DNA sequence: CGCAATGTTCAATAGTTCTTGAACAAATTG
DNA sequence: CAATTTGTTCAAGAACTATTGAACATTGCG
């Protein structure tokens, strides 16, 4: 395993890449779960998403999420802890992440990959 | 040419499809131009986007935008007039369209397809 | 009616994305 | 050190996307 994976700088985060990343139901579910986790200010590791698919497929989606700047990975032992890059995203695209997460929360019932998540009422 | 093309109902509009639609730079530019046009409360027809690519490619992107519920097409003579489905989108995904358009406006310089558009300061 | 204007549809192609299982790498634990 | 745990990387395949030019359909106009 390599060291901490590469992440784009805040300024390198691009709108189309972020939107494309969020448009995949599995990645949207990952982001959604990370957003829920923000409330208790802790991180999640890869294994916490095992309900969303096979390990190798998740690793593929994690890489996409990192490359587009949506999340950050911190290596700790055999685990990788992940969190949303909330500050960078809010700085680059104000209101976007909140709107997406809120919309996903409202639509949790019809976004089948989200159905397994803890659904929390937003607002 | 057929009659007025099919559009999804408000409730049929899906978040992942909308995000995917917005993630293509050409479609983002189309949506952006339509958003600018909202200010003068008028519509645009297909030809107004000829700067963005070949006719047949634009027709492809227009179809995508219609199918995902982002825009509506009205047939009038040999023209099709298009507008954003602002009310439906705001009802389904509050704040999302504004956040995307505002972010696109800020990044107009680096979204090369937008460079040819009238860039207007938002806020 | 014949011709031009406006868009759509079709077929073909090149490139991309998602998914899977197997192999691999690094750290931890006995 | 050997075995386990945790994730990543690789190769391969199926499916989808974007793009192009040609053909087509509809309307408007001389």
């Amino acid at each position: 395993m390599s060291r901490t994976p590469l992440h784009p700088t805040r300024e390198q985060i691009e709108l189309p890449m972020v939107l494309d990343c969020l448009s995949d139901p599995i990645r949207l579910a990952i982001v959604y779960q990370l957003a829920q986790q923000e409330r208790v200010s802790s991180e999640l590791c890869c294994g916490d998403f095992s309900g969303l698919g096979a390990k190798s497929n998740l690793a593929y989606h994690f890489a996409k999420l990192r490359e587009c700047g949506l999340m950050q990975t911190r290596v700790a032992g055999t685990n990788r802890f992940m969190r949303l890059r909330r500050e960078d995203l809010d700085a680059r695209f104000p209101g976007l992440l909140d709107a997406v997460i809120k919309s996903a929360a409202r639509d949790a019932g019809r976004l089948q990959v989200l159905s397994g998540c803890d659904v929390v009422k937003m607002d």
Side-chain angles (χ1 to χ4, degrees), chain A:
Chain A
M1 278 178 187
S2 52
R3 291 254 143 263
T4 316
L6 290 176
H7 298 82
T9 66
R10 174 183 292 190
E11 278 310 306
Q12 287 170 344
I13 300 177
E14 304 269 6
L15 181 60
M17 286 186 66
V18 167
L19 294 173
D20 185 50
C21 232
L22 292 169
S23 74
D24 180 278
I26 291 184
R27 289 193 295 262
L28 183 57
I30 292 169
V31 167
Y32 184 77
Q33 283 191 227
L34 287 173
Q36 301 301 115
Q37 205 61 20
E38 277 183 314
R39 300 158 168 251
V40 290
S41 71
S42 78
E43 302 157 304
L44 288 175
C45 66
C46 304
D48 295 327
F49 300 91
S50 58
L52 298 177
K55 261 193 335 175
S56 61
N57 194 24
L58 288 179
Y60 166 75
H61 288 301
F62 294 148
K64 285 250 166 189
L65 286 163
R66 278 192 299 262
E67 284 161 17
C68 84
L70 269 166
M71 73 181 207
Q72 194 168 38
T73 301
R74 180 176 65 84
V75 178
T78 69
N79 291 303
R80 272 96 202 281
F81 289 103
M82 306 191 288
R83 59 177 186 75
L84 282 182
R85 291 181 63 179
R86 159 79 58 182
E87 285 204 357
D88 291 323
L89 292 163
D90 285 351
R92 289 281 288 120
F93 314 122
L96 179 62
L97 193 56
D98 278 338
V100 170
I101 290 167
K102 234 184 248 187
S103 299
R106 290 164 124 230
D107 272 23
R110 72 167 72 177
L111 299 171
Q112 65 272 60
V113 185
L114 258 57
S115 304
C117 307
D118 298 327
V119 177
V120 180
K121 278 198 214 58
M122 318 274 292
D123 285 9

